């Protein structure tokens, strides 16, 4: 048993040495290199591009969902810990910025006075922001499960397998070229016969590994089709979130507009300077309004006495 292990160790060391020599001679330009066909090279290039861009898309999408790098790091650590120990418990899910803003607005509204127009508006705004925050969380969960996880699974599964098989193919290619080199250098009949036998084995191993790797590389097309479906799910999640947010803000704006119109102490022209004033005077001309800044007592019969904050129309 010890003799067998020693022989295997010696054989492995010799093989590794031959690969190293072949690799070095190729770099120096003193040895020939077996080239793979153009189709295989195109498949390899496509796989490399897919890996690079999938990693970038994954990273940037995570940055969009969670702009805070410290929280992203925390989530990364917990992901690693959960793989090592499933019993590890994550801390409670953090509130979104919309939810935090909503809490502040609601608190301000109740403190200022829910019976006042401003206090009521603050509460309505806060509740809307909180609902938008909840919708944002739902969107994040869907993007995570339907987009990020499939992409990460592809990188950790199929792509790692492809990279592993390509490395094996490269070692088989080095073995093959080393055998070819020994055959060319063989001088005696015996060494020539042995080199031919080794070459046939190396060629068979290389061809078999080439087919295995090629099948895996062709499978990238299926991965692209799956990623396309995931991308569609991502767009649907974003569209649903932004659509709901728009509807909620539109409803809030209508409520606030009604409150503004019902409160004579608010100058609509100041709040909405871009909205044209369609109020018409009795003669058909557009009426002009102005807010009085200070009390004023009329000096004669042709002037008006005015009070501060009074709205005057002409």
């Amino acid at each position: 048993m010890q003799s067998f292990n020693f022989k295997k160790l010696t054989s492995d060391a010799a093989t590794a040495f031959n690969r190293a020599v072949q690799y070095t001679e190729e770099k120096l330009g003193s040895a020939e290199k077996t080239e793979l066909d153009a189709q295989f090279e195109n498949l390899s290039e496509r796989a490399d591009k897919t890996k690079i861009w999938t990693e970038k898309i994954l990273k940037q999408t995570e940055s969009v969902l969670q702009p805070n790098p410290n929280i992203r790091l925390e989530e990364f650590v917990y992901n690693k810990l959960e793989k090592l120990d499933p019993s590890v418990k994550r801390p409670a899910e953090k509130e979104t910025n919309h939810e935090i803003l909503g809490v502040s607005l609601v608190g301000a509204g109740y403190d200022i006075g829910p019976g006042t127009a401003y206090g009521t508006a603050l509460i309505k705004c806060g509740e809307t922001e909180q609902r938008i925050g909840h919708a944002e969380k739902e969107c994040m969960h869907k993007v995570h499960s339907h987009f990020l996880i499939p992409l990460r699974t592809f990188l950790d599964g199929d792509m790692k397998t492809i990279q592993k098989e390509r490395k094996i193919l490269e070692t088989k290619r080095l073995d093959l070229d080393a055998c070819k080199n020994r055959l060319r250098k063989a001088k005696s009949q015996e060494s020539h016969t042995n080199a031919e036998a080794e070459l046939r084995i190396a060629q068979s191993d290389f061809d078999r590994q080439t087919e295995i790797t090629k099948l895996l590389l062709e499978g990238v097309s299926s991965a692209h089709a799956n990623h396309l479906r995931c991308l569609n799910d991502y767009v649907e999640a974003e569209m649903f979130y932004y659509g709901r947010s728009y509807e909620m803000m539109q409803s809030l704006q209508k409520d606030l507009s009604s409150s503004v119109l019902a409160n004579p102490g608010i100058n609509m022209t100041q709040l909405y300077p871009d909205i044209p004033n369609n109020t018409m005077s009795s003669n058909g001309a557009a009426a002009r309004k102005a807010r009085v800044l200070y009390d004023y007592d009329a000096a004669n019969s042709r002037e008006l006495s005015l009070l501060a904050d009074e709205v005057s129309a002409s």
Side-chain angles (χ1 to χ4, degrees):
M1 185 68 179
Q2 292 180 350
S3 177
F4 172 78
N5 289 337
F6 178 76
K7 288 181 179 179
K8 184 177 186 302
L9 179 62
T10 303
S11 176
D12 292 344
T15 301
F17 176 76
N18 291 333
R19 290 171 184 167
V21 170
Q22 178 65 27
Y23 179 81
T24 303
E25 290 180 350
E26 288 175 0
K27 291 297 181 182
L28 294 175
S30 59
E32 295 182 1
K33 176 180 178 181
T34 300
E35 299 292 342
L36 295 162
D37 59 73
Q39 182 187 11
F40 189 96
E41 293 293 348
N42 290 334
L43 290 173
S44 296
E45 184 179 359
R46 184 182 65 168
D48 290 336
K49 290 179 179 179
T50 300
K51 178 179 182 295
I52 292 171
W53 285 108
T54 301
E55 290 173 341
K56 288 184 177 180
I57 291 171
L58 187 65
K59 181 179 179 181
Q60 295 304 321
T61 305
E62 289 174 340
S63 299
V64 170
L65 295 180
Q66 180 48 259
N68 190 325
N70 294 327
I71 296 179
R72 290 203 306 273
L73 177 60
E74 180 181 334
E75 292 176 350
F76 174 80
V77 171
Y78 274 104
N79 287 335
K80 294 295 183 182
L81 291 176
E82 285 180 343
K83 289 182 179 180
L84 298 174
D85 184 5
S87 63
V88 173
K89 293 184 178 180
R90 289 173 175 265
E93 187 175 16
K94 291 180 171 57
E95 292 183 321
T96 66
N97 290 331
H98 286 289
E99 289 176 313
I100 295 173
L101 174 59
V103 170
S104 297
L105 290 170
V106 170
Y110 278 108
D111 197 27
I112 290 174
T116 64
Y118 182 46
T120 301
L122 285 170
I123 293 172
K124 288 181 179 180
C125 287
E127 291 174 346
T128 300
E129 288 289 342
Q130 288 177 316
R131 288 195 295 271
I132 291 176
H134 296 329
E136 182 182 8
K137 279 185 176 178
E138 291 179 9
C139 176
M140 292 169 62
H141 292 160
K142 289 181 179 178
V143 171
H144 183 74
S145 61
H146 291 77
F147 187 66
L148 295 182
I149 289 181
L151 263 60
R152 190 177 292 113
T153 301
F154 166 74
L155 291 173
D156 293 339
D158 294 350
M159 187 50 66
K160 282 189 176 180
T161 301
I162 290 174
Q163 297 297 97
K164 176 184 175 183
E165 295 300 328
R166 288 175 69 182
K167 288 181 179 179
I168 294 175
L169 177 61
E170 177 62 13
T171 61
K172 298 297 183 183
R173 200 271 308 161
L174 287 171
D175 291 342
L176 174 62
D177 289 337
C179 289
K180 290 179 179 179
N181 194 27
R182 284 198 298 273
L183 180 61
R184 284 192 295 270
K185 295 179 179 179
K187 296 181 179 180
S188 66
Q189 183 63 34
E190 181 181 358
S191 61
H192 190 277
T193 302
N194 292 336
E196 283 184 335
E198 292 176 355
L199 178 59
R200 284 193 295 270
I201 296 174
Q203 186 70 57
S204 177
D205 290 344
F206 174 77
D207 292 341
R208 182 170 58 252
Q209 186 60 36
T210 301
E211 289 301 317
I212 293 173
T213 308
K214 187 175 182 180
L215 287 173
L216 291 172
L217 290 173
E218 289 173 345
V220 173
S221 297
S222 299
H224 285 179
N226 183 51
H227 291 178
L228 176 58
R229 290 190 291 270
C230 294
L231 186 62
N232 181 66
D233 292 340
Y234 167 78
V235 172
E236 285 185 351
E238 291 272 285
M239 181 184 68
F240 184 72
Y241 164 61
Y242 287 118
R244 285 187 61 189
S245 299
Y246 175 77
E247 291 174 357
M248 287 186 280
M249 294 304 291
Q250 188 177 46
S251 176
L252 174 64
Q253 194 274 332
K254 290 180 180 179
D255 288 344
L256 292 184
S257 295
S258 300
S259 300
V260 169
L261 292 173
N263 189 341
I266 298 179
N267 186 347
M268 285 292 290
T269 303
Q270 292 178 346
L271 288 178
Y272 304 103
D274 296 330
I275 299 177
N277 189 342
N278 295 325
T279 304
M280 306 297 290
S281 64
S282 59
N283 62 2
R288 293 181 298 174
K289 292 184 178 182
R291 178 176 298 281
V292 179
L293 298 178
Y294 310 102
D295 292 342
Y296 179 76
D297 295 326
N300 53 56
S301 60
R302 291 179 298 176
E303 295 180 351
L304 294 174
S305 295
L306 301 171
L307 298 176
D309 290 332
E310 182 180 358
V311 178
S312 175
S314 62

